[in-house]
Amino acid sequence: MSIKFSFKDEVFSLDKLQLPSRHYHFNDNENYIKLLNIGEGIFPKDKIRTFLSLDNSNLILTTESATKIYPSKKEFGIQKIDIVLKNNSNLEFINDELILYKESLYIQFFNLKSDENSTFFYTDILSRGRSFENFDFSNMLIKNSFYCEKSIEYMEKFDVKGDELKDYISRKSSNNFIFAKIYIKTKNNEEFLNKIYLEKFESFTYTKNKKIILGVISSNNMFELKNQIFKIWELYRKELNKNKFNLGKQ
């Protein structure tokens, strides 16, 4: 199952749709797409691929709601996301949270390739599961890869079992159980990182070659966590001389 779409010179093209999915494309002031999977989640044996290409274009991309990963005895649900940015493009990908149900199995491959002049803002959110769960998923495998000018700039791999994550948080005596990772590329990362620090967000740093900014924030309240993400996103949009944008989901 897959969806493939692209923008060239700000013009939208749906190149492939073999997915039980709906997409909403708005273009009042900026290109804006919401993605919604029918069933609002990933089931065992599902293999879902999303491919996006921007060429001299801008796009705000989000999910309609949280992505739910349903329980499984032995089969993983798999999601693969491939993104290509070129010719001064800009992507702002605001993900809703990932909710791994009890005994769920999940694999994610995320690949983003950006040329020198393109920019992006990407977020991932992990919750502890449904309201009555506490990291009761079985296994989560994640591989995120970011390329800049055709070279790998940052790669991370996670092989996480729910019990291990639960134990780690308990040993840290932390009350926070929602985590967000933020990945940012601007025209001037050093200047932008200083702006983030001025707003008291201290858990941000560079990748090795300083081509991407990485950050982690956590909370015990989803509304509060998303407000923090939106505050950083607003800073990013100001950096690009863009006005504040309402996703229309609150």
Side-chain angles (χ1 to χ4, degrees), residues 40-93:
E40 299 184 17
I42 298 176
F43 292 83
K45 295 186 179 181
D46 275 356
K47 295 180 181 179
I48 299 174
R49 182 177 183 185
T50 301
F51 180 85
L52 161 63
S53 173
L54 299 184
D55 186 347
N56 188 36
S57 298
N58 293 267
L59 174 65
I60 299 168
L61 178 65
T62 191
T63 44
E64 178 71 13
S65 61
T67 299
K68 305 173 184 68
I69 313 299
Y70 288 89
S72 174
K73 296 296 184 182
K74 61 178 181 179
E75 301 288 347
F76 282 81
I78 301 173
Q79 179 164 221
K80 190 172 190 293
I81 301 170
D82 291 288
I83 297 170
V84 176
L85 309 177
K86 56 186 178 181
N87 295 329
N88 205 38
S89 291
N90 173 62
L91 174 67
E92 298 160 49
F93 191 169

Side-chain angles (χ1 to χ4, degrees), residues 109-240:
F109 299 97
F110 179 88
N111 299 293
L112 189 152
K113 297 180 180 180
S114 172
D115 67 8
E116 181 179 3
N117 296 316
S118 294
T119 54
F120 59 80
F121 182 100
Y122 171 69
T123 66
D124 254 342
I125 303 174
L126 175 65
S127 73
R128 63 179 175 181
R130 289 169 288 187
S131 59
F132 54 88
E133 295 174 342
N134 184 24
F135 301 107
D136 295 324
F137 65 89
S138 295
N139 199 194
M140 177 180 68
L141 302 169
I142 303 284
K143 181 181 178 183
N144 294 331
S145 303
F146 294 82
Y147 295 81
C148 295
E149 297 94 59
K150 298 183 179 180
S151 298
I152 187 72
E153 173 65 16
Y154 180 71
M155 179 185 292
E156 57 188 10
K157 296 180 181 180
F158 302 104
D159 182 350
V160 181
K161 292 179 173 56
D163 287 343
E164 293 174 353
L165 182 56
K166 187 189 310 184
D167 180 63
Y168 174 79
I169 294 172
S170 176
R171 285 188 283 109
K172 286 288 186 179
S173 301
S174 174
N175 293 321
N176 292 341
F177 51 81
I178 313 168
F179 304 91
K181 288 206 70 175
I182 302 176
Y183 311 79
I184 302 169
K185 181 177 181 288
T186 70
K187 302 288 188 181
N188 189 332
N189 283 341
E190 183 174 356
E191 179 181 299
F192 187 69
L193 186 59
N194 287 333
K195 291 178 181 179
I196 293 175
Y197 288 156
L198 287 174
E199 294 295 329
K200 309 302 181 184
F201 291 101
E202 299 177 351
S203 56
F204 282 75
T205 187
Y206 298 115
T207 52
K208 182 178 180 180
N209 297 313
K210 298 188 176 182
K211 293 181 180 180
I212 299 175
I213 296 170
L214 304 174
V216 178
I217 55 177
S218 62
S219 178
N220 59 11
N221 181 286
M222 185 63 73
F223 181 79
E224 177 186 306
L225 182 88
K226 288 188 175 181
N227 277 341
Q228 292 182 66
I229 292 172
F230 292 153
K231 187 172 184 179
I232 300 166
W233 182 35
E234 186 177 353
L235 288 174
Y236 176 84
R237 289 184 60 80
K238 285 181 179 178
E239 184 76 7
L240 272 59

Side-chain angles (χ1 to χ4, degrees), residues 2-15:
S2 63
I3 181 171
K4 180 178 181 180
F5 58 96
S6 60
F7 286 83
K8 182 174 175 58
D9 300 324
E10 307 292 355
V11 178
F12 173 67
S13 173
L14 179 61
D15 304 315

